Amino acid sequence: MANTKVPEAAHPFYFKYDTIKGYFMQSEDDTDSSKFDFRKQNFGLIDREYGTEEAGVDEAKLHWQSFEKYVESLNEKSEEGVQYKVLFLGRHGQGWHNVAETKYGTAAWDCYWSLLDGADGITWSDALLTDLGQDQARDVNELWKSLLPKGIPAPETYYVSPLTRTIETADLSFKGLELPEDRPYAPIGKELLREALGVHTCDRRSTASHIRSAFPHVALEPGFSEEDPLWEADYREPRSARKYRLAQFLDDIFEHDDGAFLSLTSHSGAIASVLEAIGHRTFALQTGGVIPVFVKAERVNGKREAPPKEPSEAPPACSSPPPAWSSSS
């Protein structure tokens, strides 16, 4: 198996995922991810007709409400084992580990600095958000605040990676919003929603006791262990294993969550793996970025095929700091 510390799903089925194009600009091949700003583009919702429009609906609410009804109608008419969900994939705001990688350069970061808990007055083990990262999350909060009166459906469930920076991001993104009573912000910490596992201390989570103390409003999923069971100091999870893990996470929520609109606050690598697992085009997110995806899932009998265990994705560790090398070079 790709990572022996990630348990295989017990049930004898999985889901085949497809991205439904034509609804969000980010899913279209001609959208330039380096220039696209979801905050200025209504989260990327394409202005189109759905066949579910109702007369007399406020024009400002028409598009989101019609889209929500369209998704509901697809689920009502779908065959057994087929379902549709809209996932709001949010990347955490800038963390101190992002600052450190920029400071030291990617090559030096990967082979030396990322193995430490911090240096030069910066701590990045289970990194916290910077002031900029907090502002990026608040920008998302302002976007939701502006769109909720215009009919955007609030998430029915809020899933978060249990890393500090992702919980902080979700809190700043959703706390204080006027959400429907049946859709309160009640985040659920999911172990499999984490960034690539191993080597980098910024991706090693804190203990369950610390998370519960610092974030008592976060419900950690059943079986959440006190110590981090997945992080290894000398093995960095390869991309194939990360995709398999995130596909398992999707299988879990598609099997157990009846909601059609879900929020997932995670990390750049994890989100890239989710996009790969659902057949979505590559779409780079800046820190604090959010991408909605419209997904069709079809239940398939049998077990999801696990990739073979591959060598660690991290380069060999350096015994001393190498010369700085910029990731933009």
Side-chain angles (χ1 to χ4, degrees), residues 56-76:
V57 175
D58 183 345
E59 182 68 25
K61 297 182 177 181
L62 181 63
H63 297 305
W64 278 110
Q65 287 190 351
S66 298
F67 176 58
E68 182 179 22
K69 290 183 180 298
Y70 177 69
V71 176
E72 290 175 355
S73 68
L74 287 180
N75 280 316
E76 290 171 356

Side-chain angles (χ1 to χ4, degrees), residues 118-138:
D120 299 329
I122 303 174
T123 299
W124 54 74
S125 174
D126 190 10
L128 278 65
L129 294 181
T130 64
D131 289 345
L132 173 59
Q134 294 176 17
D135 288 342
Q136 290 170 333
R138 291 189 185 101

Side-chain angles (χ1 to χ4, degrees), residues 92 129 160-171 265-267:
H92 62 77
L129 294 181
V160 296
S161 158
L163 276 291
T164 298
R165 59 190 180 273
T166 41
I167 299 175
E168 290 180 330
T169 297
D171 283 356
T265 306
S266 189
H267 312 259

Side-chain angles (χ1 to χ4, degrees), residues 20-200:
I20 306 178
K21 300 176 70 173
Y23 296 88
F24 290 103
M25 296 172 66
Q26 296 94 318
S27 299
E28 306 306 299
D29 295 334
D30 58 355
T31 299
D32 186 344
S33 64
S34 67
K35 299 178 181 179
F36 186 80
D37 189 342
F38 68 98
R39 296 167 299 182
K40 298 178 180 178
Q41 298 288 343
N42 196 21
F43 267 122
L45 185 68
I46 294 174
D47 185 357
R48 54 164 293 166
E49 294 184 355
Y50 301 93
T52 56
E53 289 76 12
E54 294 183 4
V57 175
D58 183 345
E59 182 68 25
K61 297 182 177 181
L62 181 63
H63 297 305
W64 278 110
Q65 287 190 351
S66 298
F67 176 58
E68 182 179 22
K69 290 183 180 298
Y70 177 69
V71 176
E72 290 175 355
S73 68
L74 287 180
N75 280 316
E76 290 171 356
K77 300 174 184 177
S78 64
E79 301 176 0
E80 184 177 355
V82 175
Q83 56 179 296
Y84 299 83
K85 295 186 188 298
V86 177
L87 311 178
F88 287 90
L89 308 175
R91 182 185 177 188
H92 62 77
Q94 184 195 63
W96 284 106
H97 63 305
N98 300 125
V99 173
E101 182 175 355
T102 300
K103 173 182 173 67
Y104 300 116
T106 297
W109 168 257
D110 283 342
C111 83
Y112 183 82
W113 298 105
S114 67
L115 284 66
L116 308 179
D117 287 348
D120 299 329
I122 303 174
T123 299
W124 54 74
S125 174
D126 190 10
L128 278 65
L129 294 181
T130 64
D131 289 345
L132 173 59
Q134 294 176 17
D135 288 342
Q136 290 170 333
R138 291 189 185 101
D139 286 344
V140 174
N141 183 282
E142 288 298 318
L143 179 59
W144 278 103
K145 188 181 297 183
S146 70
L147 292 180
L148 284 167
K150 297 180 181 180
I152 188 173
E156 294 160 84
T157 313
Y158 301 83
Y159 295 108
V160 296
S161 158
L163 276 291
T164 298
R165 59 190 180 273
T166 41
I167 299 175
E168 290 180 330
T169 297
D171 283 356
L172 291 168
S173 297
F174 295 109
K175 277 187 173 180
L177 294 175
E178 294 186 10
L179 298 167
E181 290 186 3
D182 61 342
R183 299 186 180 189
Y185 173 61
I188 301 172
K190 300 288 284 186
E191 196 83 90
L192 296 185
L193 192 52
R194 292 164 56 180
E195 184 56 291
L197 303 166
V199 181
H200 295 192

